[in-house]
């Protein structure tokens, strides 16, 4: 019975391994296509990243997202443009002087210029006050709308930052919990059951069960680590800046 159980467990592991390999291959193909590379190109094996404390990151990232997030940059540019239009509309009320100088020469070829005339003229916008007043009002209204859009974008950006930081913090907690507590405990349980099985104090099913539990927890720990790395990548996307938190960035800067 023990031999049959061992063979069944081994067959399940082979099947699970093949399924994992198929999933990895499909994901590698999808990644290569997204990166505009050959589907059969080799994808580097992910490396571990340093666990970061989001508490120390939050204050700096709050400032960074307001400066670097593309939506914020776009909203500020729109406000600057509308503010410039307000200034131009207000300047339209100011009379715009123009000076003209004109020279005339008569038939006497010896004279280069016989007569010089000069004049100055002013455009008087006050004669059409309604037109210019409407232009200023429209410009101010557009600037006010741009200011509101900027404030709304800022609030949305801070909200997205908070959600992204919370996701990083949650996955960070899961990684630490499995790495420092659950997996070591399961490993100790498995080692104890293996010793007990070798000494005849533990049954084979109990030993297999402890091994399966350890394997499942190690797999779940890997999933949480991947979720943490994804959360960090999403955080960079929300902020709109390279936060230098992945090993590839660190190695390039050295």
């Amino acid at each position: 019975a023990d031999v049959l159980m061992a063979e069944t467990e081994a067959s399940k592991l082979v099947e699970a391994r093949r399924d994992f390999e198929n999933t990895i291959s499909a994901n590698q193909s999808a990644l290569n296509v997204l990166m505009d590379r050959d589907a059969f190109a080799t994808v580097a094996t992910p490396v571990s990243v340093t666990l970061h404390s989001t508490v120390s990151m939050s204050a700096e990232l709050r400032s960074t997202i307001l400066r670097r997030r593309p939506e914020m940059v776009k909203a500020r540019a729109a406000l600057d443009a509308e503010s410039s239009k307000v200034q131009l509309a207000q300047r339209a009320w100011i009379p715009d002087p123009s000076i003209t100088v004109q020279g005339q020469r008569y038939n006497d070829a010896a004279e280069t210029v016989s007569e010089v005339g000069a004049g100055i003229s002013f455009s008087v916008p006050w004669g059409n006050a309604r037109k210019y007043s409407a232009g200023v009002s429209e410009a101010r209204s557009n600037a006010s709308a741009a200011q509101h859009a900027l404030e709304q974008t800022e609030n949305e950006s801070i909200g997205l930052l908070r959600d992204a930081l919370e996701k990083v913090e949650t996955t960070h907690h899961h990684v630490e919990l499995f790495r420092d507590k659950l997996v070591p405990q399961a490993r100790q349980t498995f080692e104890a059951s293996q010793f007990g099985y070798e000494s005849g104090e533990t049954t084979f099913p109990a030993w297999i069960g402890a091994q399966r539990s350890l394997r499942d927890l190690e797999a779940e720990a890997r999933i949480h680590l991947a979720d943490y790395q994804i959360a960090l990548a999403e955080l960079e996307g929300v902020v709109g800046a390279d936060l230098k938190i992945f090993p590839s960035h660190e190695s390039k800067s050295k």
Side-chain angles (χ1 to χ4, degrees):
D2 291 348
V3 174
L4 180 59
M5 180 179 294
E7 291 178 349
T8 301
E9 190 70 19
S11 298
K12 289 181 179 180
L13 289 176
V14 171
E15 181 182 15
R17 179 184 179 87
R18 188 67 189 91
D19 290 339
F20 285 136
E21 290 174 345
N22 179 64
T23 301
I24 291 173
S25 176
N27 290 334
Q28 288 177 339
S29 298
L31 182 60
N32 280 326
V33 170
L34 289 174
M35 297 173 66
D36 197 23
R37 305 192 327 180
D38 185 272
F40 288 90
T42 303
V43 177
T45 303
V47 294
S48 299
V49 299
T50 304
L51 298 183
H52 299 268
S53 173
T54 56
V55 175
S56 61
M57 295 168 60
S58 58
E60 180 181 355
L61 291 182
R62 187 184 181 97
S63 174
T64 303
I65 194 174
L66 296 181
R67 290 184 292 103
R68 300 287 299 275
R69 182 169 168 79
E71 289 79 359
M72 287 296 304
V73 175
K74 180 180 178 181
R76 276 196 302 272
L79 177 58
D80 291 341
E82 295 301 334
S83 298
S84 298
K85 291 179 181 179
V86 172
Q87 295 178 357
L88 291 175
Q90 291 174 336
R91 288 178 56 185
W93 281 95
I94 303 174
D96 187 14
S98 61
I99 300 175
T100 59
V101 178
Q102 183 177 7
Q104 295 181 351
R105 182 170 61 85
Y106 300 114
N107 294 331
D108 190 352
E111 296 182 7
T112 305
V113 177
S114 300
E115 183 178 302
V116 177
I120 183 170
S121 62
F122 292 86
S123 63
V124 183
W126 308 302
N128 197 356
R130 180 176 298 179
K131 171 186 174 181
Y132 290 100
S133 178
V136 173
S137 297
E138 181 181 1
R140 287 176 175 172
S141 177
N142 292 338
S144 178
Q147 177 66 39
H148 177 72
L150 175 62
E151 294 172 355
Q152 183 177 5
T153 303
E154 179 177 340
N155 291 333
E156 292 174 353
S157 298
I158 296 300
L160 290 173
L161 175 62
R162 180 181 180 181
D163 293 342
L165 286 173
E166 181 64 27
K167 185 174 182 179
V168 171
E169 187 68 28
T170 300
T171 53
H172 177 278
H173 168 75
H174 292 333
V175 171
E176 286 190 325
L177 177 64
F178 275 77
R179 181 196 63 187
D180 301 335
K181 191 172 183 179
L182 295 181
V183 172
Q185 289 177 347
R187 186 173 293 111
Q188 291 176 359
T189 301
F190 167 69
E191 292 173 353
S193 65
Q194 183 172 5
F195 178 78
Y197 175 70
E198 292 173 351
S199 61
E201 298 178 358
T202 302
T203 63
F204 183 78
W207 177 69
I208 286 292
Q211 186 181 38
R212 184 185 298 114
S213 178
L214 172 61
R215 186 176 66 245
D216 291 344
L217 285 173
E218 288 177 337
E220 193 170 353
R222 286 286 181 179
I223 292 174
H224 286 308
L225 180 59
D227 290 340
Y228 175 67
Q229 293 175 314
I230 291 173
L232 288 176
E234 291 176 348
L235 177 62
E236 284 192 337
V238 168
V239 174
D242 183 359
L243 303 180
K244 310 295 183 182
I245 53 182
F246 289 96
S248 57
H249 298 312
E250 296 173 2
S251 60
K252 290 179 182 179
S253 62
K254 292 181 180 179

